[in-house]
Amino acid sequence: MTDQAAVLSIDLEFFSHIPAYRNARGTSRRTDIGTDGVDDLLAAFGEAEATGTFFVVSDVAEGNPSLIRRVVDAGHEICSHTHSHRHLSELSPKERRTELERSRRVLRCVTGADVNGFRAPSFDITDDHFQLLDDTGYEYDSSVIACRSIPGWYGGEYDAERPCSARAISANSPDHLRELPVSVMPGLRLPLTGTWLRFFGVRYTLLGMKLLARRGIAPVLYIHPWELVDLPSVNGVPSRVYWRTGRWMRRAVRRILAAPFDFVSANSVVHDE
């Protein structure tokens, strides 16, 4: 372990929450696919004596409160990933506010812990994003990624790579709000984790972490519990969603946590600069 910090964050949603599933023709009988992935993540963090941040869809917390309490009891930070995991840009301003308010309220009730951080599904934010976060009691955001534009996905809007004031992202934002950008590969400007970890392999992610550390930047990674389980075949879900899920991802997480970094909560690094 070194003094170099890194964040392995978890977007805690189920397979049924992802857009690829919601837009598919088929369905699965199970709506909680990803539960076993949370258990495996908690085991991996424990083995590595590491701490993480779980950005939780509060719909999961309502239906599975004991699951989220286990995350808290293991010493991890709880943040919001909205209530329903719908894209914020597809909602009205009133609906967006409800998503943020309800999620924070539910998570605080279920866990007894404060909820200071937020991440938008698919990094999809709107012009009123930071003002809404301030209005609903959040202190920091982690929905910005300095990624090149990926047609049909996201990217191309931001260049922030280090923790910063939200005002550096949007000039009209409250200055006291903080932003913790998710990491991209220097030069290539593609995300280090998410789908890109499964596409390019663990060495890609570890190399990116090393390059960022040389520049004094704490890598901020993200994965999903459903990526660690054996997914059912659902008609209409693209094959890329299934690529290297299950056992491959379980092993990948442990390789990342074995890297020479001090894995800490997002809250621990968001105020560093």
Side-chain angles (χ1 to χ4, degrees):
M1 194 74 73
T2 72
D3 292 331
Q4 176 63 50
V7 177
L8 179 58
S9 62
I10 313 301
D11 288 359
L12 203 168
E13 68 217 34
F14 288 151
F15 186 47
S16 56
H17 286 111
I18 70 173
Y21 180 93
R22 290 201 305 262
N23 297 329
R25 296 181 296 278
T27 59
S28 170
R29 286 189 231 174
R30 286 188 57 192
T31 59
D32 64 346
I33 297 168
T35 303
D36 293 345
V38 176
D39 292 333
D40 195 81
L41 283 164
L42 292 178
F45 275 115
E47 292 162 10
E49 298 183 350
T51 300
T53 293
F54 287 67
F55 291 90
V56 181
V57 173
S58 61
D59 175 55
V60 173
E62 280 189 335
N64 302 264
S66 62
L67 178 69
I68 309 306
R69 291 190 191 109
R70 291 208 304 277
V71 175
V72 175
D73 290 344
H76 303 293
E77 180 186 17
I78 296 292
C79 295
S80 169
H81 198 38
T82 73
H83 180 72
S84 66
H85 202 259
R86 291 186 293 172
H87 286 168
L88 295 177
S89 65
E90 298 173 358
L91 306 178
S92 69
K94 181 178 179 180
E95 289 172 324
R96 289 197 289 273
R97 180 181 292 270
T98 297
E99 283 280 326
L100 272 61
E101 286 178 338
R102 184 176 180 183
S103 177
R104 188 165 184 262
R105 182 175 66 252
V106 168
L107 293 174
R108 293 176 75 184
C109 181
V110 166
T111 65
D114 207 355
V115 177
N116 297 319
F118 179 85
R119 177 173 292 155
S122 304
F123 308 107
D124 175 58
I125 63 176
T126 54
D127 291 342
D128 61 353
H129 182 67
F130 292 106
Q131 188 60 57
L132 277 177
L133 288 177
D134 188 42
D135 292 346
T136 50
Y138 295 93
E139 296 179 5
Y140 77 88
D141 179 64
S142 186
S143 305
V144 163
I145 183 163
C147 177
R148 67 169 63 200
S149 179
I150 307 171
W153 285 34
Y154 49 72
E157 305 98 332
Y158 309 107
D159 57 11
E161 296 183 349
R162 302 173 184 267
C164 61
S165 165
R167 190 165 290 177
I169 307 299
S170 177
N172 296 323
S173 302
D175 189 51
H176 57 274
L177 272 175
R178 300 288 292 174
E179 178 62 41
L180 181 65
V182 174
S183 293
V184 299
M185 174 66 81
L188 184 61
R189 295 184 59 221
L190 287 175
L192 285 186
T193 40
T195 302
W196 308 98
L197 163 61
R198 294 189 284 111
F199 279 179
F200 296 154
V202 181
R203 291 182 181 180
Y204 161 81
T205 298
L206 295 175
L207 173 61
M209 294 174 69
K210 182 177 181 179
L211 293 175
L212 289 171
R214 286 178 179 173
R215 297 165 58 188
I217 300 173
V220 178
L221 315 177
Y222 75 102
I223 57 175
H224 310 92
W226 56 264
E227 292 179 292
L228 277 69
V229 306
D230 298 322
L231 297 174
S233 179
V234 174
N235 187 20
V237 174
S239 59
R240 61 175 170 77
V241 173
Y242 295 95
W243 179 250
R244 285 177 167 168
T245 53
R247 182 185 178 193
W248 190 93
M249 270 296 293
R250 293 193 294 271
R251 294 174 64 184
V253 167
R254 283 168 170 79
R255 286 187 61 185
I256 290 170
L257 288 173
F261 287 83
D262 184 14
F263 286 91
V264 298
S265 68
N267 191 58
S268 298
V269 301
V270 70
H271 299 288
D272 277 356
E273 304 208 8

